[in-house]
Amino acid sequence: FTDLYLEVFAKSTSCFKISVEDNDYFEETKRYSYHLSFIDSEFNSILHPSILNISIVDNDEITIGFQQSVYYFSESIGQANLKLLVIGVLDADNVILSVNTLSNGSATATEDYRREEFNFTLKLDHNIIQLDIINDSVLEPTEHFFVQISLLEASSRIHLNTSFVQFYILDDEFTEIGFESAHLAVTEGNVILMLNINSSLPGPSDGLVQLSTRDGSATGLDYNGTHGSIPVVFQPGQTIASFDILIHDDNISEGSEEFFGVIQPTLGKNDFHFNISIAKVSVEIEDDDMVNFGIHCDDCT
Protein backbone atom coordinates (compact mmCIF):
# COMPACT_ATOMS: atom_id res chain seq x y z
CA PHE A 1 0.00 0.00 0.00
CA THR A 2 1.11 3.56 -0.62
CA ASP A 3 -0.24 7.05 -0.18
CA LEU A 4 -1.35 9.04 -3.18
CA TYR A 5 -0.70 12.79 -3.11
CA LEU A 6 -2.42 15.30 -5.39
CA GLU A 7 -0.83 18.66 -6.04
CA VAL A 8 -3.44 21.26 -7.03
CA PHE A 9 -2.68 24.60 -8.69
CA ALA A 10 -5.12 27.53 -8.47
CA LYS A 11 -5.01 30.97 -10.16
CA SER A 12 -6.99 32.63 -7.36
CA THR A 13 -6.62 32.81 -3.63
CA SER A 14 -9.98 31.19 -3.09
CA CYS A 15 -10.06 28.20 -0.85
CA PHE A 16 -11.61 24.96 -2.02
CA LYS A 17 -12.07 21.45 -0.77
CA ILE A 18 -11.84 18.04 -2.43
CA SER A 19 -14.74 15.66 -1.99
CA VAL A 20 -14.51 11.94 -2.70
CA GLU A 21 -17.84 11.38 -4.39
CA ASP A 22 -17.56 7.68 -5.15
CA ASN A 23 -15.13 4.83 -5.81
CA ASP A 24 -15.42 1.61 -7.77
CA TYR A 25 -13.46 -1.64 -7.77
CA PHE A 26 -13.17 -3.64 -10.97
CA GLU A 27 -12.42 -7.31 -10.27
CA GLU A 28 -11.15 -8.24 -13.76
CA THR A 29 -8.48 -5.55 -13.85
CA LYS A 30 -8.14 -4.91 -10.09
CA ARG A 31 -8.46 -1.19 -10.67
CA TYR A 32 -9.88 1.31 -8.19
CA SER A 33 -11.51 4.37 -9.73
CA TYR A 34 -12.03 7.43 -7.53
CA HIS A 35 -14.33 10.29 -8.53
CA LEU A 36 -13.18 13.54 -6.93
CA SER A 37 -15.02 16.89 -6.95
CA PHE A 38 -13.33 20.26 -6.42
CA ILE A 39 -15.68 22.60 -4.49
CA ASP A 40 -15.05 26.33 -4.01
CA SER A 41 -15.39 27.03 -0.28
CA GLU A 42 -16.50 30.66 -0.75
CA PHE A 43 -19.20 30.16 -3.34
CA ASN A 44 -19.88 26.50 -2.61
CA SER A 45 -19.82 25.74 -6.31
CA ILE A 46 -18.14 22.89 -8.16
CA LEU A 47 -15.09 23.88 -10.07
CA HIS A 48 -14.40 22.62 -13.59
CA PRO A 49 -13.18 20.09 -14.43
CA SER A 50 -15.19 18.74 -11.55
CA ILE A 51 -14.27 15.03 -11.61
CA LEU A 52 -10.90 13.37 -11.64
CA ASN A 53 -10.68 9.58 -12.17
CA ILE A 54 -7.76 7.88 -10.49
CA SER A 55 -7.01 4.25 -11.26
CA ILE A 56 -4.87 2.19 -8.92
CA VAL A 57 -3.49 -0.88 -10.64
CA ASP A 58 -2.61 -4.04 -8.77
CA ASN A 59 1.06 -4.98 -9.33
CA ASP A 60 0.94 -8.56 -8.09
CA GLU A 61 2.94 -11.20 -9.95
CA ILE A 62 1.38 -13.11 -12.87
CA THR A 63 2.08 -16.73 -13.86
CA ILE A 64 1.35 -17.91 -17.41
CA GLY A 65 1.53 -21.44 -18.80
CA PHE A 66 -0.22 -24.24 -20.63
CA GLN A 67 -3.00 -26.03 -18.76
CA GLN A 68 -1.21 -29.38 -19.13
CA SER A 69 2.19 -30.68 -20.15
CA VAL A 70 0.94 -33.33 -22.64
CA TYR A 71 -1.78 -33.01 -25.30
CA TYR A 72 -3.43 -35.66 -27.50
CA PHE A 73 -5.28 -34.76 -30.70
CA SER A 74 -6.51 -36.78 -33.68
CA GLU A 75 -4.83 -35.79 -36.94
CA SER A 76 -8.30 -35.17 -38.43
CA ILE A 77 -8.95 -32.30 -36.02
CA GLY A 78 -7.39 -29.83 -38.47
CA GLN A 79 -6.71 -27.17 -35.87
CA ALA A 80 -5.71 -27.81 -32.26
CA ASN A 81 -6.51 -25.29 -29.52
CA LEU A 82 -4.02 -24.96 -26.65
CA LYS A 83 -5.42 -22.88 -23.83
CA LEU A 84 -3.13 -20.80 -21.64
CA LEU A 85 -3.75 -20.62 -17.90
CA VAL A 86 -3.20 -17.24 -16.27
CA ILE A 87 -2.76 -17.00 -12.49
CA GLY A 88 -3.08 -13.38 -11.47
CA VAL A 89 -4.66 -10.52 -13.33
CA LEU A 90 -3.55 -9.07 -16.63
CA ASP A 91 -3.53 -5.29 -16.74
CA ALA A 92 -4.23 -3.10 -19.73
CA ASP A 93 -0.83 -3.82 -21.20
CA ASN A 94 -0.98 -7.04 -23.22
CA VAL A 95 1.61 -9.79 -22.79
CA ILE A 96 3.35 -10.86 -26.00
CA LEU A 97 4.59 -14.44 -26.14
CA SER A 98 6.87 -16.11 -28.66
CA VAL A 99 5.47 -19.50 -29.75
CA ASN A 100 7.75 -22.07 -31.36
CA THR A 101 6.97 -25.58 -32.62
CA LEU A 102 10.02 -27.81 -32.31
CA SER A 103 10.59 -30.59 -34.84
CA ASN A 104 12.72 -32.85 -32.66
CA GLY A 105 9.99 -35.48 -32.20
CA SER A 106 8.76 -38.34 -34.39
CA ALA A 107 6.25 -36.11 -36.22
CA THR A 108 7.49 -34.44 -39.41
CA ALA A 109 7.05 -30.72 -39.98
CA THR A 110 5.12 -29.82 -43.18
CA GLU A 111 3.83 -33.43 -43.36
CA ASP A 112 2.14 -33.87 -39.97
CA TYR A 113 1.88 -30.26 -38.75
CA ARG A 114 2.81 -26.78 -39.87
CA ARG A 115 6.06 -25.76 -38.26
CA GLU A 116 5.79 -22.18 -37.13
CA GLU A 117 7.39 -19.56 -34.97
CA PHE A 118 5.11 -16.62 -34.28
CA ASN A 119 4.19 -14.02 -31.70
CA PHE A 120 0.99 -14.39 -29.69
CA THR A 121 -0.67 -11.48 -27.90
CA LEU A 122 -2.20 -12.69 -24.63
CA LYS A 123 -5.29 -10.78 -23.48
CA LEU A 124 -8.12 -11.35 -21.05
CA ASP A 125 -10.32 -12.66 -23.86
CA HIS A 126 -7.57 -14.06 -26.08
CA ASN A 127 -5.74 -16.95 -24.40
CA ILE A 128 -5.93 -19.85 -26.90
CA ILE A 129 -3.00 -20.71 -29.19
CA GLN A 130 -4.06 -22.47 -32.41
CA LEU A 131 -1.86 -24.96 -34.29
CA ASP A 132 -2.54 -26.49 -37.71
CA ILE A 133 -2.48 -30.31 -37.88
CA ILE A 134 -2.19 -31.92 -41.34
CA ASN A 135 -4.53 -34.83 -42.05
CA ASP A 136 -2.99 -37.43 -44.38
CA SER A 137 -4.04 -40.84 -45.68
CA VAL A 138 -0.94 -42.70 -44.53
CA LEU A 139 -1.15 -45.53 -42.01
CA GLU A 140 1.35 -44.55 -39.34
CA PRO A 141 1.88 -44.76 -35.59
CA THR A 142 1.13 -42.06 -33.05
CA GLU A 143 3.65 -39.24 -33.58
CA HIS A 144 4.71 -36.29 -31.47
CA PHE A 145 6.40 -32.91 -31.50
CA PHE A 146 6.97 -30.12 -28.96
CA VAL A 147 5.62 -26.62 -28.41
CA GLN A 148 7.40 -23.95 -26.40
CA ILE A 149 6.41 -20.43 -25.33
CA SER A 150 8.67 -17.66 -24.07
CA LEU A 151 8.27 -14.01 -23.13
CA LEU A 152 9.12 -11.66 -25.95
CA GLU A 153 10.19 -9.08 -23.37
CA ALA A 154 11.39 -9.95 -19.89
CA SER A 155 9.23 -8.78 -16.99
CA SER A 156 9.83 -8.92 -13.25
CA ARG A 157 6.07 -9.39 -12.68
CA ILE A 158 5.41 -12.15 -15.24
CA HIS A 159 6.65 -15.72 -14.90
CA LEU A 160 6.16 -18.77 -17.12
CA ASN A 161 5.07 -22.15 -15.84
CA THR A 162 4.58 -25.29 -18.00
CA SER A 163 6.03 -23.43 -20.98
CA PHE A 164 7.26 -26.58 -22.77
CA VAL A 165 4.68 -29.21 -23.77
CA GLN A 166 4.61 -32.48 -25.72
CA PHE A 167 2.01 -32.79 -28.46
CA TYR A 168 0.82 -36.23 -29.70
CA ILE A 169 -0.91 -36.71 -33.07
CA LEU A 170 -3.16 -39.79 -33.09
CA ASP A 171 -3.44 -41.47 -36.49
CA ASP A 172 -7.03 -42.01 -37.67
CA GLU A 173 -6.34 -44.38 -40.58
CA PHE A 174 -7.40 -48.04 -40.37
CA THR A 175 -6.66 -51.02 -42.60
CA GLU A 176 -7.57 -54.67 -42.85
CA ILE A 177 -4.82 -57.13 -43.79
CA GLY A 178 -5.35 -60.75 -44.77
CA PHE A 179 -4.97 -63.55 -47.30
CA GLU A 180 -7.11 -63.41 -50.43
CA SER A 181 -8.72 -66.74 -49.56
CA ALA A 182 -8.75 -69.26 -46.73
CA HIS A 183 -8.06 -72.18 -49.11
CA LEU A 184 -5.83 -72.63 -52.15
CA ALA A 185 -5.01 -75.65 -54.32
CA VAL A 186 -2.00 -76.29 -56.53
CA THR A 187 -0.75 -79.30 -58.47
CA GLU A 188 2.75 -80.45 -57.65
CA GLY A 189 5.40 -80.25 -60.32
CA ASN A 190 8.16 -77.69 -59.53
CA VAL A 191 5.75 -74.78 -59.90
CA ILE A 192 5.55 -71.44 -58.12
CA LEU A 193 2.57 -70.78 -55.88
CA MET A 194 1.97 -67.07 -55.31
CA LEU A 195 0.61 -66.28 -51.83
CA ASN A 196 -1.09 -62.87 -51.95
CA ILE A 197 -1.78 -60.78 -48.85
CA ASN A 198 -4.17 -57.85 -49.24
CA SER A 199 -4.45 -54.52 -47.43
CA SER A 200 -7.56 -52.34 -47.62
CA LEU A 201 -5.37 -49.21 -47.38
CA PRO A 202 -2.55 -48.59 -49.88
CA GLY A 203 1.04 -48.63 -48.65
CA PRO A 204 3.52 -47.72 -47.54
CA SER A 205 3.29 -49.92 -44.48
CA ASP A 206 6.33 -51.78 -43.31
CA GLY A 207 6.15 -54.97 -41.32
CA LEU A 208 2.83 -54.59 -39.51
CA VAL A 209 2.38 -58.35 -39.81
CA GLN A 210 4.65 -61.37 -40.27
CA LEU A 211 4.15 -64.32 -42.61
CA SER A 212 5.18 -67.87 -41.79
CA THR A 213 4.45 -71.33 -43.20
CA ARG A 214 3.62 -74.41 -41.18
CA ASP A 215 3.71 -78.05 -42.16
CA GLY A 216 0.62 -80.17 -42.29
CA SER A 217 0.72 -83.49 -44.08
CA ALA A 218 3.07 -81.71 -46.51
CA THR A 219 6.61 -81.13 -45.32
CA GLY A 220 9.80 -79.52 -46.56
CA LEU A 221 10.13 -82.30 -49.12
CA ASP A 222 6.96 -81.05 -50.78
CA TYR A 223 7.43 -77.22 -50.72
CA ASN A 224 9.85 -74.45 -49.77
CA GLY A 225 8.60 -72.82 -46.59
CA THR A 226 9.54 -69.44 -45.12
CA HIS A 227 11.94 -70.93 -42.53
CA GLY A 228 10.63 -68.63 -39.81
CA SER A 229 8.67 -65.39 -39.96
CA ILE A 230 9.23 -62.72 -42.60
CA PRO A 231 7.80 -59.16 -42.59
CA VAL A 232 4.97 -58.30 -44.96
CA VAL A 233 5.75 -55.01 -46.73
CA PHE A 234 3.25 -53.01 -48.80
CA GLN A 235 5.04 -50.66 -51.18
CA PRO A 236 3.76 -47.07 -51.66
CA GLY A 237 0.39 -47.11 -53.40
CA GLN A 238 0.19 -50.93 -53.37
CA THR A 239 -2.53 -53.02 -51.69
CA ILE A 240 -1.06 -56.48 -52.43
CA ALA A 241 2.10 -58.09 -51.08
CA SER A 242 3.06 -61.35 -52.85
CA PHE A 243 5.26 -64.23 -51.74
CA ASP A 244 6.47 -67.07 -53.98
CA ILE A 245 6.34 -70.62 -52.65
CA LEU A 246 8.08 -73.35 -54.70
CA ILE A 247 6.08 -76.58 -54.90
CA HIS A 248 8.32 -79.64 -55.49
CA ASP A 249 7.73 -82.53 -57.86
CA ASP A 250 8.65 -85.67 -55.93
CA ASN A 251 7.52 -88.39 -58.40
CA ILE A 252 5.89 -90.25 -55.52
CA SER A 253 2.28 -91.28 -55.61
CA GLU A 254 1.03 -90.09 -52.23
CA GLY A 255 -2.32 -88.38 -52.66
CA SER A 256 -3.07 -84.75 -51.79
CA GLU A 257 -1.09 -83.10 -49.00
CA GLU A 258 -1.50 -79.81 -47.12
CA PHE A 259 0.48 -77.01 -45.53
CA PHE A 260 -0.53 -73.64 -44.09
CA GLY A 261 0.30 -69.94 -44.41
CA VAL A 262 -0.16 -67.86 -41.24
CA ILE A 263 -0.23 -64.08 -40.63
CA GLN A 264 0.51 -62.70 -37.17
CA PRO A 265 0.91 -59.11 -35.85
CA THR A 266 4.45 -57.88 -35.44
CA LEU A 267 5.47 -57.10 -31.87
CA GLY A 268 5.85 -53.39 -31.19
CA LYS A 269 3.31 -52.27 -33.80
CA ASN A 270 0.48 -51.58 -31.35
CA ASP A 271 0.27 -47.90 -32.33
CA PHE A 272 -1.03 -48.81 -35.79
CA HIS A 273 -4.76 -49.29 -36.34
CA PHE A 274 -5.25 -52.50 -38.30
CA ASN A 275 -7.12 -55.77 -38.20
CA ILE A 276 -6.25 -59.17 -39.65
CA SER A 277 -9.20 -60.46 -41.69
CA ILE A 278 -8.06 -63.89 -42.99
CA ALA A 279 -5.13 -64.90 -40.82
CA LYS A 280 -4.65 -68.46 -42.08
CA VAL A 281 -4.73 -70.15 -45.49
CA SER A 282 -4.60 -73.88 -46.13
CA VAL A 283 -2.77 -74.90 -49.30
CA GLU A 284 -3.60 -78.29 -50.84
CA ILE A 285 -0.90 -79.87 -52.99
CA GLU A 286 -2.60 -82.18 -55.45
CA ASP A 287 -0.55 -85.22 -56.41
CA ASP A 288 0.17 -85.65 -60.14
CA ASP A 289 1.77 -89.11 -59.93
CA MET A 290 -0.24 -92.16 -61.02
CA VAL A 291 0.28 -95.87 -60.29
CA ASN A 292 -0.39 -98.24 -63.23
CA PHE A 293 -1.75 -101.67 -62.37
CA GLY A 294 -1.64 -104.64 -64.84
CA ILE A 295 -1.32 -108.44 -65.22
CA HIS A 296 1.80 -110.02 -66.56
CA CYS A 297 1.99 -113.63 -67.77
CA ASP A 298 4.41 -115.60 -69.86
CA ASP A 299 1.83 -117.68 -71.62
CA CYS A 300 -1.56 -116.15 -71.79
CA THR A 301 -4.08 -118.31 -73.68
Side-chain angles (χ1 to χ4, degrees):
F1 296 94
T2 184
D3 294 327
L4 175 66
Y5 297 92
L6 297 178
E7 187 173 1
V8 180
F9 297 91
K11 291 185 178 180
S12 67
T13 57
S14 299
C15 296
F16 59 88
K17 62 181 179 178
I18 299 176
S19 173
V20 178
E21 301 292 341
D22 193 11
N23 72 85
D24 296 306
Y25 175 68
F26 301 94
E27 178 65 34
E28 287 189 353
T29 58
K30 286 193 175 180
R31 290 173 179 268
Y32 290 89
S33 181
Y34 291 89
H35 307 276
L36 309 181
S37 297
F38 297 83
I39 303 173
D40 189 300
S41 301
E42 182 178 354
F43 300 101
N44 198 31
S45 61
I46 298 177
L47 303 178
H48 297 282
S50 60
I51 296 179
L52 174 65
N53 292 325
I54 301 175
S55 294
I56 301 176
V57 181
D58 191 350
N59 65 347
D60 289 340
E61 293 186 348
I62 299 173
T63 301
I64 299 170
F66 291 105
Q67 285 186 314
Q68 55 204 64
S69 59
V70 179
Y71 289 85
Y72 295 87
F73 287 98
S74 170
E75 68 176 4
S76 61
I77 195 172
Q79 193 171 70
N81 295 328
L82 308 183
K83 188 175 183 179
L84 293 173
L85 180 65
V86 179
I87 300 176
V89 179
L90 295 174
D91 53 30
D93 297 327
N94 299 318
V95 176
I96 301 178
L97 301 173
S98 175
V99 182
N100 190 17
T101 57
L102 308 175
S103 57
N104 56 343
S106 58
T108 304
T110 71
E111 293 182 8
D112 301 304
Y113 66 96
R114 303 193 190 283
R115 189 183 189 283
E116 295 182 283
E117 184 172 0
F118 57 93
N119 293 336
F120 178 81
T121 302
L122 179 62
K123 305 177 184 178
L124 291 173
D125 57 349
H126 186 241
N127 63 342
I128 295 178
I129 295 175
Q130 295 180 325
L131 299 176
D132 291 330
I133 307 301
I134 300 174
N135 189 13
D136 56 33
S137 58
V138 178
L139 186 68
E140 54 195 353
T142 297
E143 299 174 303
H144 71 282
F145 64 98
F146 302 93
V147 180
Q148 185 174 32
I149 58 173
S150 58
L151 290 172
L152 197 62
E153 295 183 3
S155 171
S156 59
R157 290 184 56 221
I158 302 174
H159 307 280
L160 295 181
N161 183 34
T162 316
S163 60
F164 184 85
V165 298
Q166 195 165 5
F167 192 105
Y168 285 92
I169 304 174
L170 306 178
D171 190 45
D172 60 355
E173 270 72 42
F174 176 85
T175 188
E176 280 199 341
I177 299 174
F179 290 108
E180 285 185 328
S181 173
H183 178 78
L184 295 173
V186 60
T187 301
E188 69 175 6
N190 293 324
V191 296
I192 297 296
L193 170 68
M194 185 176 293
L195 276 183
N196 289 333
I197 300 174
N198 293 346
S199 172
S200 60
L201 188 71
S205 62
D206 186 2
L208 295 181
V209 296
Q210 304 264 334
L211 169 67
S212 62
T213 56
R214 298 178 184 176
D215 290 347
S217 55
T219 66
L221 298 175
D222 303 299
Y223 73 102
N224 282 357
T226 58
H227 303 292
S229 298
I230 55 176
V232 177
V233 177
F234 294 94
Q235 299 298 332
Q238 300 298 313
T239 58
I240 298 176
S242 299
F243 296 86
D244 293 338
I245 305 292
L246 176 62
I247 307 299
H248 299 164
D249 188 2
D250 54 14
N251 296 319
I252 301 174
S253 180
E254 54 196 350
S256 295
E257 296 176 302
E258 185 182 42
F259 71 93
F260 304 95
V262 178
I263 298 174
Q264 290 181 310
T266 302
L267 294 177
K269 298 291 185 178
N270 298 332
D271 283 343
F272 291 87
H273 301 157
F274 69 95
N275 180 55
I276 299 178
S277 55
I278 302 177
K280 186 176 183 179
V281 57
S282 65
V283 180
E284 181 183 1
I285 302 176
E286 298 174 344
D287 190 26
D288 66 346
D289 299 298
M290 298 181 61
V291 177
N292 296 317
F293 293 92
I295 299 175
H296 174 75
C297 62
D298 294 330
D299 184 13
C300 297
T301 58

